Structure formats: C-alpha cells, structure tokens
C-alpha cells in the first residue's frame, strides 16, 4: 500500500453533521469505601474535557490534515462554551446552532486508577426550530465540501436525516453515515454506512457464517440503495461490502486500552480519504491503520497524519 497521502489532505473538505457532545473526565485516586453506601470514594486530582460525538469525528478529520466543518446544536451554557473553544483550537470551522432551551450534551466520566467507575449523562433533544436551521445551513454548506459525514448518536440532531441525504444527493456529494438504532431504512440512498457488529446484528440478525453475513448485507445494501457498507469488527478487523464483492482487512496487532471513539476515527479517516480522491481499498486500509492506533489511547482520542506516515 502506498504511503499516507498527507499532501492531498489539505485539499480535502469534509462537512460533519451530527450530535455534538462534550466528554468530561475526572481522574482520581480510590483508597477507601464510602461510609454512606458501599461505593468507592474518588478523590479527584485532575479534570479533562474532550470533544465528543460528531465533534470528535470532526477533530479526527482535522487531525489528518483535511479541512473539517462541523454543523450541529449546542446550548448557551458552560459546556457549549468549552466546545466552541476546543473546536477553534483544533482548527475546525464551527457552524453551530445555539438553542436557548437545549443543554449541550455532556458525558461525565469518573475514573479511579485509570478504570471508569461511573458515567453521568446530561442530554435533551433539540427543538424542531433548531433542526430546521440545521437543514438550511447544510444546504448552503454542501457545495463547498467534497463529502458529507453524518455522525448519528441518536441524540436528535439527525432525526430528519432523510432530508440531509436528499440534499447531498441533489448536489452529487457522497454521504457517509455512522448509523444508530435498528432501522437503517432512515439512511436509504446514502453512499456508505459504517455499523459495528452489534449495530448490524440489530438490523439483519445474528449470522452463523461469513456466507450468510455477505448474503444478508448485500441484500440490505441493494434494498437501501447504498454504494457500500463497512462493518467494523473490533479485534476481527473490518469488512467492506460493495458491488465489487467483499473486501476484508485484519485488525492491526495492538494492545486495546479503550475502544470508545474508535468508530469516530474509522469513519473520519474514510471520509478524509474519499474527499482526497482515494478509492475504497485505500480508504479502508488507512482507516484500519488509524483504528489500530486509537484503541491504544484513553477515551475519545485522535490519530494524526504524522502517526500514519
């Protein structure tokens, strides 16, 4: 396989639309059990905020050297301000709708001795007015981008995903989607879906052989008018299904530390590669390389072009 096309990345333009989150980590020491309840007491020593959800996908696209624009909804709150600041630091063009009644989605993780002890989620669904604003902005932004990447975390921003797919198809812009839920008919007409094993099982059922898997996925792909479907399989690598058949790449040998955010890295890499003009084979190869790196990092992390060169 050729070397990573870092020079071409500067011309690649990816529009990311989806559920924006702030991932907050509290790290501490655990040396006793609470006298109030049988739970550990964490003495917090360090705090860290990271971009999550669609914002982490955009961060991965930008880290590879591509131009990333992020469209989504945040609230008028402390978490939203942190998101705006971190997007600017990452060089991401922020096209954000602010919803007065909407709290920015926040996931707070408490860790002791590098082990996650608790996660607390703060989230609500955005208003119909905010969703209408997303569609208007997307229609204006699409023509200045090479690929539309939809990052669906089922938090509400992509509740009307069908309209976004129609807009992209009308503009002849490829649509790559990280799906959620058991109804993939919502994504009809997309270019690529990237479900993991559990997500795909919810749609086609469990499979007993690779032949059964291939038959069911190809039927699903034709039914939904998809150009391709990429199944991410954790330690088993990833498999691409398209009109050309089935292409599999084995996972890179890697001590797995944390798989959270690995799907973000995969679709971000594929989107950046496709925007740079790469074919499916090259795109999947580099996505697999990137996934092998990111699972060795804690939490929602990124892979840079320098790590792939």
């Amino acid at each position: 396989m050729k070397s990573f096309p870092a020079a071409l990345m500067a011309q690649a333009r990816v529009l990311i639309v989806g559920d924006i989150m702030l991932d907050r980590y509290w790290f501490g020491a655990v040396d006793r059990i609470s006298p109030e309840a049988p739970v550990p007491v964490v003495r917090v020593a360090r705090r860290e905020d990271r971009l999550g959800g669609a914002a982490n996908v955009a961060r991965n696209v930008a880290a590879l050297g591509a131009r990333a624009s992020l469209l989504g909804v945040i609230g008028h709150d402390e978490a939203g301000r942190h998101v705006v600041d971190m997007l600017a630091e990452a060089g991401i063009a922020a096209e954000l709708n602010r919803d007065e009644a909407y709290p920015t989605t926040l996931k707070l993780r408490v860790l002791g001795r590098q082990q996650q002890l608790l996660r607390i989620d703060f989230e609500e669904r955005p208003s119909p007015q905010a969703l209408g604003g997303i569609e208007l902005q997307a229609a204006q932004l699409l023509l200045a981008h090479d690929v539309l990447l939809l990052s669906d975390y089922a938090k509400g921003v992509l509740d009307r995903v069908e309209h976004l797919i129609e807009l992209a198809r009308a503009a002849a812009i490829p649509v790559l989607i990280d799906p959620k839920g058991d109804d993939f008919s919502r994504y009809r007409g997309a270019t690529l879906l990237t479900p993991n094993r559990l997500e795909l099982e919810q749609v086609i059922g469990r499979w007993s052989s690779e032949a059964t898997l291939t038959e069911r996925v190809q039927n699903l792909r034709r039914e939904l008018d998809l150009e391709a479907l990429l199944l991410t399989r954790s330690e088993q690598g990833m498999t691409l299904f398209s009109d050309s058949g089935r292409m599999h790449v084995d996972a890179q040998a890697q001590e797995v530390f944390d798989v959270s955010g690995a799907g973000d890295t995969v679709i971000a890499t594929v989107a950046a590669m496709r925007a740079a003009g790469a074919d499916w084979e090259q795109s999947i190869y580099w996505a697999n390389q990137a996934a092998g790196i990111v699972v060795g990092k804690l939490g929602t992390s990124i892979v840079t072009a320098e790590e792939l060169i």
Side-chain angles (χ1 to χ4, degrees):
M1 181 64 62
K2 296 179 181 179
S3 59
F4 184 73
L8 295 177
M9 282 293 155
Q11 304 304 316
R13 304 167 301 173
V14 181
L15 173 61
I16 302 98
V17 183
D19 299 300
I20 296 172
M21 307 178 197
L22 180 66
D23 285 334
R24 178 159 288 170
Y25 296 85
W26 288 357
F27 300 91
V30 178
D31 50 23
R32 64 191 179 97
I33 300 299
S34 171
E36 303 167 350
V39 296
V41 174
V42 181
R43 180 168 50 83
V44 176
R46 181 167 63 91
R47 299 171 175 85
E48 183 176 341
D49 286 348
R50 300 182 186 180
L51 294 170
N56 185 53
V57 176
R59 183 169 164 247
N60 271 272
V61 170
L64 293 172
R67 289 187 280 174
S69 300
L70 176 63
L71 178 55
V73 182
I74 60 171
H76 281 277
D77 51 18
E78 176 264 350
R81 290 191 294 273
H82 274 273
V83 167
V84 171
D85 291 343
M86 287 188 288
L87 290 173
E89 290 173 8
I92 297 165
E95 306 285 349
L96 306 178
N97 276 354
R98 289 180 178 269
D99 190 336
E100 292 282 355
Y102 174 82
T104 302
T105 300
L106 170 66
K107 294 183 178 181
L108 170 61
R109 297 171 175 89
V110 181
L111 297 93
R113 298 176 183 173
Q114 300 297 312
Q115 296 295 317
Q116 187 176 147
L117 303 176
L118 176 68
R119 194 181 95 181
I120 305 171
D121 291 1
F122 302 86
E123 62 182 60
E124 291 183 20
R125 303 189 82 78
S127 67
Q129 292 77 15
L131 296 185
I134 290 288
E135 292 169 14
L136 289 174
Q137 286 176 274
Q140 296 170 351
L141 291 167
L142 272 171
L143 297 181
H145 293 82
D146 305 303
V147 168
L148 173 62
L149 192 167
L150 302 180
S151 180
D152 195 350
Y153 275 80
K155 306 302 180 187
V157 170
L158 294 179
D159 278 355
R160 295 169 4 188
V161 65
E162 299 90 343
H163 297 168
L164 295 172
I165 295 172
E166 290 174 5
L167 288 172
R169 285 178 65 109
I173 304 293
V175 185
L176 280 57
I177 305 179
D178 189 359
K180 192 66 66 177
D182 58 5
D183 180 14
F184 282 10
S185 65
R186 304 173 56 234
Y187 308 119
R188 187 181 310 277
T191 306
L192 174 76
L193 299 186
T194 62
N196 59 32
R197 285 183 295 189
L198 178 59
E199 290 165 341
L200 188 60
E201 282 181 356
Q202 292 175 334
V203 175
I204 67 170
R206 302 190 67 174
W207 53 87
S208 57
S209 67
E210 289 299 306
T212 300
L213 168 64
T214 299
E215 180 182 7
R216 292 181 183 176
V217 171
Q218 294 290 39
N219 287 339
L220 176 67
R221 194 178 59 80
R222 286 187 287 268
E223 178 187 341
L224 299 184
D225 191 24
L226 308 174
E227 183 175 329
L229 184 146
L230 176 64
L231 170 61
T232 57
R233 312 176 76 167
S234 190
E235 73 280 358
Q236 295 179 354
M238 53 188 71
T239 310
L240 180 76
F241 302 89
S242 67
D243 283 342
S244 299
R246 173 187 182 277
M247 185 188 81
H248 180 80
V249 289
D250 291 325
Q252 297 299 298
Q254 171 73 57
E255 181 179 354
V256 176
F257 188 65
D258 191 340
V259 299
S260 61
D264 293 346
T265 298
V266 168
I267 194 167
T269 306
V270 173
M273 292 295 299
R274 294 293 287 180
D279 60 21
W280 286 124
E281 182 178 1
Q282 292 173 310
S283 300
I284 302 312
Y285 172 82
W286 288 112
N288 191 50
Q289 296 291 316
I293 295 170
V294 80
V295 294
K297 302 180 181 183
L298 174 64
T300 48
S301 301
I302 59 171
V303 175
T304 65
E306 288 73 19
E307 290 176 287
L308 292 172
I309 292 174

